[in-house]
Amino acid sequence: MATTVYSACSRVTVFPLECLTVAYTTQSSDSRGLGDVAVVGVVEPDDATGDHLWRLAAGMYANPPTGQTQARWILTQCTRARVVNAPAYRDLPDANWTGSLTRELHLDSLFANHAILRTGRLTIE
């Protein structure tokens, strides 16, 4: 996937993940507004990219995982962060954000109500 830039206003959950600060939000693939597209971006550090998420996910397994397994691990971290009300997490109900998304994976079945995972960098205004 070439870099695609999206801008929107939506609920964003920001949370620490190892040495990264990550932002998670959702978009919809059609007019029904189901939030079936997960958008996950690295916010900090400045030199980190969405590829860092995939490498982090890959490092959690003894054997090299498939892209599907890595995507499910990333989504698990995002949904966990949204559910847990920890002091280090921020829930921004109406955040303006811009994402430079460089990777898209279509899941083989719904996972955490998502059919698609898009990753890259997110900037929150």
Side-chain angles (χ1 to χ4, degrees):
M1 171 180 176
T3 300
T4 305
V5 177
Y6 291 93
S7 291
C9 179
S10 61
R11 179 182 180 192
V12 176
T13 302
V14 181
F15 60 98
L17 184 60
E18 297 293 324
C19 60
L20 305 174
T21 300
V22 176
Y24 161 65
T25 189
T26 61
Q27 295 288 287
S28 297
S29 62
D30 60 30
S31 62
R32 295 177 294 168
L34 299 175
D36 57 320
V37 179
V39 177
V40 184
V42 175
V43 177
E44 293 176 338
D46 291 338
D47 62 344
T49 67
D51 289 339
H52 286 80
L53 291 169
W54 294 91
R55 285 195 296 271
L56 186 59
M60 296 296 142
Y61 297 91
N63 295 314
T66 65
Q68 294 288 321
T69 299
Q70 289 171 279
R72 287 190 292 272
W73 184 87
I74 292 168
L75 289 170
T76 298
Q77 304 317 304
C78 294
T79 55
R80 174 192 51 79
R82 187 159 277 186
V83 171
V84 173
N85 187 17
Y89 300 177
R90 290 182 293 155
D91 190 42
L92 308 171
D94 295 305
N96 291 309
W97 58 270
T98 300
S100 295
L101 306 177
T102 55
R103 188 162 179 179
E104 177 177 281
L105 187 131
H106 290 256
L107 296 157
D108 51 16
S109 62
L110 281 180
F111 187 82
N113 199 44
H114 297 303
I116 300 168
L117 171 61
R118 294 181 179 144
T119 60
R121 283 200 58 85
L122 250 64
T123 303
I124 303 167
E125 297 176 20

